[in-house]
Amino acid sequence: MLKDVKLSADVVHEAKVLYWTGWTIQQIADTFKIPYGTLDSRKRREKWDKATSIERAKHCVDFRYNQLLIKPSKTNLEIKELNALGRELERLDRRETYQQTKKDSDLNPNLKKRNEGKAAKKNRLTYDQIVKLLDDFYDHLFDYQKEWLEAKKHRTRNILKSRQIGATWYFAREAFIDAVETGDNQIFLSASNKQAQVFKAYIVQWVKDITGVELRGDPMVLPNGATLYFLSTNVRTAQSYHGHIYMDEYFWIPRFQEFNKVASGMAMHKKWRKTYISTPSTLNHEAYPFWNGKHYNKGRPKAEHIELDISHKALKDGSLGEDGQWRQMVTVLDAVEKGCSLFEIDDLRREYSPDDFENLLMCKFVDDALSVFKFNDLRKCGVDSLEKWQDYKRFFERPFRDQEVWLGYDPSRTRDDASLVVIAPPSVPGGKYRVLEKFSWNNTHFEEQARQIKEITTRYNVTKIAIDASGIGAGVYELVEKFYPAAIKITYSLEVKTRLVLKMMQIVNRRQIEWDAGDTEIPLAFMTIKKTITPSGGHTTFKASRTEATGHADVAWAIMHAFEGEAMMSVEGTVETTQTSIMELM
């Protein structure tokens, strides 16, 4: 019976490994209960004794690599080991080629490029430095980020997420590792260049922290030929690029359908992946049919239409849809459940109203039908500030030189942020207002908030400061008034609140204000403001979805405060539309 035993591939693999580590054929035959002659014949036929040290090493590494590769669920250590084995196989392949050619460039493929000149040395990382980056990358993954990594095998990933769970941080690292290992181009797209630069900042800081190497260039070119592009939706020549696409906060990108055609063109070849990442905006956004799968049905026969389940239950752990997209919804509760230790959920529930908690952290879309400010109007105010505002240099000591700015301040409630905005009024009649900067201070004492406002006045030529001094804001106002006596004190009343909102409606509807398109907090804050009836039932007023102790619309109110004291404007041809909108509210 033993003579008829057929040796499986696994047995042969293990037998080879044991033989090369010093076991005799007899010992191996006894261990696996196979005939000595069968095994000895296999050894002589395959010339085990003549295998080189490189061949033996490759066999052992390859055996372990394939064991891990087919394992359905991998631990962090196993993921690290799998990638280390892959690098070792690549290194052994180079050594094997070098044995035949004796060319140093075959042993080290980067050597030729490094010798071509100083330019090739820029952004160079050693093998040991790359290993350090890989180890750090795999050591700091939460379970949902492991799911994103596993889903990398799909051509399209589409992720709806809570804020602040490390998505941009993760995908910046994933893309850089991929560029280093494969030489593939990586393309980062956001609503504005300023937002796209966040990817670059994460990559640069990470590599510097781990290796000491400071990456340079925009686009960033690596010695292996991979190029990392950081682009905004304003780049109309984007179709000339090609590579793996990462589109950040796509639910906030204006004219999404138009730009997605351009982005898809950059990743048309089958080797390129597309990754879409975003927090939710509004159900009326152009990207919503892309998320729910309805875009797939357009132009197809009814028999081919699909109906996707995009509920949280269906997408919590990721799901591959009939349209080829792998979708996942990751709420803050999912993030905590899957290992993220960055949040205290009870604190978040106290700090945010139920509506804000659902939108910001639980992936619920805003229905702006009841909002005073409509998303389609607000998105038109977003611009690519790095390209358009050439006179503003944010990181300079005097970012706006001596040009005039206004400050608007909204005070902190018990736990939410106090917000201050820096607004540049138009320098010419008919020009646009610009939201240059915004600041948020959480759990900060009045004296410290006043001190920071004073520091801002040393960086800008501030000609107006308007502060909500109702209730708790009075303390900050009194301190600011000491160093800026002309500060405007806003005391809230039904009339004041109505005037502020109607004035801002006029400005937004006429597109007389701009902010960076990547700053999604601003339009979201305005969308939380809704029309309501006073408790007495006699008047219309406005409120945000917040309690007395919490607030999310603070940035919107801060912007509106900056316009206190300014007269309602009149622009021929737009008055009728604005007046109609105002009358609808009253």
Side-chain angles (χ1 to χ4, degrees):
M1 292 295 290
L2 290 176
K3 291 182 180 179
D4 296 327
V5 171
K6 184 176 181 180
L7 302 184
S8 69
D10 286 346
V11 169
V12 173
H13 270 299
E14 290 197 52
K16 280 185 180 181
V17 172
L18 292 174
Y19 183 72
W20 287 333
T21 57
W23 286 43
T24 66
I25 292 295
Q26 187 63 61
Q27 288 173 320
I28 299 170
D30 291 343
T31 299
F32 289 103
K33 294 182 171 54
I34 56 178
Y36 175 90
T38 300
L39 189 60
D40 186 63
S41 174
R42 190 68 176 254
K43 180 204 76 172
R44 287 184 282 104
R45 190 167 63 250
E46 295 181 357
K47 300 178 182 179
W48 292 3
D49 288 322
K50 292 186 178 181
T52 66
S53 60
I54 293 177
E55 289 174 329
R56 297 181 185 193
K58 281 184 65 178
H59 179 87
C60 295
V61 173
D62 184 66
F63 179 62
R64 177 60 177 162
Y65 182 86
N66 284 298
Q67 276 186 320
L68 291 173
L69 191 63
I70 62 175
K71 187 177 179 184
S73 181
K74 305 174 184 66
T75 66
N76 260 9
L77 287 175
E78 287 170 336
I79 292 174
K80 286 179 62 177
E81 183 183 0
L82 186 63
N83 281 274
L85 290 169
R87 297 194 300 273
E88 185 63 19
L89 282 172
E90 182 182 347
R91 189 177 70 86
L92 290 169
D93 281 340
R94 292 201 301 268
R95 286 182 60 189
E96 195 171 41
T97 303
Y98 174 75
Q99 293 282 0
Q100 300 170 4
T101 66
K102 300 301 180 183
K103 292 181 179 179
D104 289 342
S105 59
D106 287 326
L107 190 62
N108 184 353
N110 289 327
L111 185 61
K112 182 178 179 181
K113 291 183 178 180
R114 289 209 305 270
N115 291 335
E116 287 176 350
K118 292 182 178 180
K121 295 182 179 180
K122 186 172 71 171
N123 298 334
R124 183 172 67 85
L125 296 169
T126 66
Y127 177 82
D128 288 342
Q129 288 171 330
I130 292 172
V131 169
K132 285 183 180 179
L133 287 169
L134 286 163
D135 286 344
D136 187 74
F137 175 64
Y138 293 112
D139 278 343
H140 295 92
L141 295 181
F142 297 126
D143 287 348
Y144 55 91
Q145 292 167 333
K146 292 180 193 175
E147 291 168 349
W148 297 343
L149 182 61
E150 179 68 22
K152 193 178 171 187
K153 62 188 177 186
H154 300 296
R155 174 166 162 78
T156 304
R157 292 175 292 181
N158 193 344
I159 298 163
L160 188 71
K161 67 177 188 71
S162 163
R163 291 179 180 247
Q164 300 298 315
I165 63 169
T168 306
W169 175 91
Y170 164 79
F171 285 111
R173 294 184 173 203
E174 177 197 277
F176 184 74
I177 290 296
D178 188 74
V180 168
E181 290 190 318
T182 67
D184 287 350
N185 294 344
Q186 315 289 325
I187 304 173
F188 303 93
L189 299 166
S190 293
S192 71
N193 191 267
K194 177 182 173 183
Q195 186 68 20
Q197 291 296 316
V198 174
F199 281 105
K200 182 180 177 182
Y202 277 138
I203 292 171
V204 171
Q205 190 62 54
W206 178 47
V207 173
K208 186 176 181 180
D209 288 345
I210 301 301
T211 70
V213 174
E214 187 165 354
L215 301 174
R216 299 182 183 278
D218 195 351
M220 184 187 294
V221 181
L222 304 185
N224 64 1
T227 302
L228 282 68
Y229 300 96
F230 306 93
L231 307 173
S232 74
T233 56
N234 285 338
V235 181
R236 292 303 176 224
T237 58
Q239 61 265 33
S240 63
Y241 303 119
H242 60 275
H244 301 297
I245 298 294
Y246 292 86
M247 191 178 293
D248 191 32
E249 293 293 6
Y250 74 90
F251 264 111
W252 300 90
I253 289 177
R255 298 182 298 280
F256 169 79
Q257 292 181 8
E258 173 191 339
F259 189 75
N260 194 36
K261 290 179 182 178
V262 177
S264 297
M266 291 187 277
M268 191 171 289
H269 293 173
K270 64 181 182 181
K271 70 173 290 185
W272 305 124
R273 296 182 308 276
K274 298 177 291 182
T275 302
Y276 298 82
I277 320 144
S278 190
T279 53
S281 60
T282 172
L283 293 168
N284 295 321
H285 194 277
E286 285 185 9
Y288 194 74
F290 181 76
W291 166 250
N292 67 14
K294 298 299 183 185
H295 80 295
Y296 179 86
N297 297 335
K298 188 176 180 180
R300 285 184 166 85
K302 194 168 184 179
E304 297 179 11
H305 285 196
I306 62 174
E307 188 72 33
L308 299 180
D309 183 353
I310 57 168
S311 66
H312 174 252
K313 181 179 179 181
L315 300 182
K316 177 181 178 181
D317 297 316
S319 176
L320 183 63
E322 294 175 68
D323 58 354
Q325 290 191 44
W326 181 87
R327 291 175 174 82
Q328 187 176 35
M329 185 186 300
V330 186
T331 69
V332 69
L333 298 184
D334 297 330
V336 171
E337 181 184 325
K338 295 182 179 183
C340 183
S341 57
L342 304 176
F343 303 102
E344 178 52 64
I345 298 300
D346 288 341
D347 284 347
L348 293 177
R349 289 192 185 278
R350 284 190 292 266
E351 291 169 15
Y352 292 96
S353 69
D355 286 348
D356 290 342
F357 187 88
E358 290 294 305
N359 172 247
L360 298 174
L361 303 171
M362 296 300 289
C363 300
K364 298 294 184 183
F365 287 86
V366 174
D367 184 354
D368 66 350
L370 299 177
S371 300
V372 173
F373 297 91
K374 306 301 181 185
F375 179 79
N376 283 334
D377 295 326
L378 293 163
R379 72 172 179 82
K380 295 174 184 177
C381 299
V383 299
D384 193 332
S385 62
L386 287 184
E387 291 187 7
K388 190 170 182 181
W389 301 347
Q390 295 298 311
D391 56 345
Y392 174 62
K393 311 294 182 184
R394 182 179 180 183
F395 297 106
F396 281 30
E397 187 176 347
R398 296 281 290 180
F400 209 47
R401 296 190 177 180
D402 291 326
Q403 296 185 70
E404 175 186 8
V405 301
W406 301 342
L407 304 185
Y409 170 83
D410 185 63
S412 170
R413 273 101 191 133
T414 304
R415 285 181 173 269
D416 71 317
D417 293 341
S419 290
L420 184 125
V421 295
V422 180
I423 294 181
S427 57
V428 296
K432 296 187 178 183
Y433 299 89
R434 292 179 281 173
V435 182
L436 302 182
E437 275 195 88
K438 59 183 179 61
F439 301 87
S440 294
W441 303 308
N442 185 269
N443 288 335
T444 305
H445 199 272
F446 293 161
E447 285 87 349
E448 177 59 19
Q449 292 181 39
R451 188 197 65 78
Q452 294 194 59
I453 293 173
K454 184 176 183 180
E455 194 277 330
I456 293 169
T457 65
T458 66
R459 298 176 60 233
Y460 288 95
N461 175 24
V462 178
T463 61
K464 180 169 73 171
I465 301 178
I467 295 176
D468 173 9
S470 306
I472 58 177
V476 176
Y477 171 78
E478 290 175 4
L479 294 172
V480 170
E481 190 182 26
K482 292 179 180 179
F483 64 82
Y484 199 93
I488 297 174
K489 180 180 182 179
I490 301 175
T491 303
Y492 261 65
S493 66
L494 178 63
E495 179 185 356
V496 168
K497 185 184 288 188
T498 301
R499 184 176 68 245
L500 289 173
V501 171
L502 296 185
K503 188 181 299 179
M504 185 53 58
M505 278 192 63
Q506 184 188 49
I507 292 169
V508 168
N509 289 344
R510 293 175 177 174
R511 296 178 62 183
Q512 289 182 301
I513 189 169
E514 296 176 340
W515 49 73
D516 188 84
D519 197 342
T520 61
E521 184 181 354
I522 294 176
L524 186 57
F526 275 110
M527 283 191 293
T528 65
I529 299 174
K530 297 178 173 63
K531 182 176 69 172
T532 187
I533 302 298
T534 59
S536 65
H539 299 280
T540 298
T541 187
F542 306 96
K543 72 173 184 177
S545 55
R546 58 178 169 185
T547 66
E548 289 299 317
T550 64
H552 173 64
D554 42 280
V555 173
W557 293 115
I559 292 173
M560 287 187 276
H561 294 160
F563 287 91
E564 177 64 0
E566 301 302 311
M568 295 283 276
M569 293 156 288
S570 176
V571 179
E572 187 176 354
T574 61
V575 173
E576 183 177 350
T577 301
T578 303
Q579 288 179 340
T580 300
S581 300
I582 292 173
M583 291 303 296
E584 289 173 353
L585 290 169
M586 298 307 291

